[in-house]
Amino acid sequence: MNIAVIFAGGVGSRMKLKALPKQFLEVHGKPVIVHTLELFEEHSEIDGIVVAILPSYRDQLEKLVHRYELTKVRIVDGGSTGQESRHNALRAVAEQYPKDSVVLVHDGVRPHIDADLISTNIAAVREHGSAITCTKVFETIVVSTAGKVDDVIPRDVLYTAQAPQSFVLGEVLAAYDQAVADGENDSIDSCSLMRRYGHAVHIIEGPRSNIKITTADDFYISKSFFELAEARQLVES
């Protein structure tokens, strides 16, 4: 079984939103979270989708799931941190699906993946036991601690970590359980936890368009990507 675990627990603090979190903002005719969920809903290899969201926004998401007929989606309450939300979702997956299932952990505000990237993640887990979607870094990266350049890091070995981050359910859930037992409740992502507990993580190079909508600038960039994709469809048809 292949299950998407979608983290949609943000509150839009970096976008300074006064009304709805960024996942509910409309872009290209639909809320961002709906664009993301539809990619997994429509993928033939995805058997189920578990979404973790803050309880205060659960009703709103349930209305969208019903409106857009997202039949694979199950909603669970998120926690006070991203780690707790992902952990809650993984526990919910384990209640319903076998431990050898592939889970694709993805951000609800990362709506520009495609079907091929989902399939590649699934195949990579079956072959290597793990997968993390990354893109090559093209800018020069410098290290600075006091307003001056301390070091320049060779960029040929640098990648930007993105999502999906995909694993065998039993292994990634065990890593989250162990993290809590060790007193860690706010890790940055699933890849970090898996590496901490001895798992090698295999890199998949994804498209540069696979952005996470975090700031207002990201929102407008996302809108441009949707418009570009629509224009390409019109030309190809």
Side-chain angles (χ1 to χ4, degrees), residues 7-140:
F7 167 57
V11 295
S13 59
R14 277 172 286 187
M15 290 186 74
K16 298 180 173 59
L17 299 174
K18 296 181 180 179
L20 294 175
K22 55 198 172 183
Q23 57 267 30
F24 293 112
L25 293 178
E26 285 211 3
V27 57
H28 206 65
K30 296 176 185 177
V32 171
I33 185 65
V34 172
H35 285 292
T36 303
L37 292 174
E38 284 183 337
L39 291 165
F40 292 96
E41 174 81 22
E42 295 168 3
H43 197 288
S44 61
E45 293 183 83
I46 295 296
D47 299 294
I49 304 166
V50 175
V51 187
I53 194 163
L54 293 177
S56 54
Y57 294 105
R58 181 168 184 153
D59 287 347
Q60 178 136 2
L61 181 57
E62 287 177 345
K63 290 176 182 176
L64 291 175
V65 167
H66 178 73
R67 175 182 174 186
Y68 290 96
E69 300 180 344
L70 301 172
T71 60
K72 296 180 182 180
V73 172
R74 175 184 175 189
I75 302 172
V76 300
D77 289 342
S80 60
T81 67
Q83 177 183 314
E84 290 180 5
S85 294
R86 293 188 295 270
H87 199 179
N88 287 353
L90 289 169
R91 286 182 179 134
V93 174
E95 291 172 358
Q96 189 172 356
Y97 300 98
K99 289 189 175 181
D100 63 351
S101 299
V102 173
V103 287
L104 295 85
V105 183
H106 193 69
D107 304 299
V109 290
R110 203 183 286 272
H112 293 286
I113 60 169
D114 55 30
D116 287 343
L117 186 56
I118 292 172
S119 294
T120 302
N121 268 262
I122 293 169
V125 174
R126 296 301 182 194
E127 181 176 356
H128 301 286
S130 68
I132 179 171
T133 307
C134 299
T135 57
K136 287 285 293 182
V137 169
F138 293 102
E139 301 284 356
T140 297

Side-chain angles (χ1 to χ4, degrees), residues 141-153:
I141 304 297
V142 302
V143 178
S144 175
T145 56
K148 62 181 180 62
V149 175
D150 298 326
D151 196 9
V152 178
I153 302 175

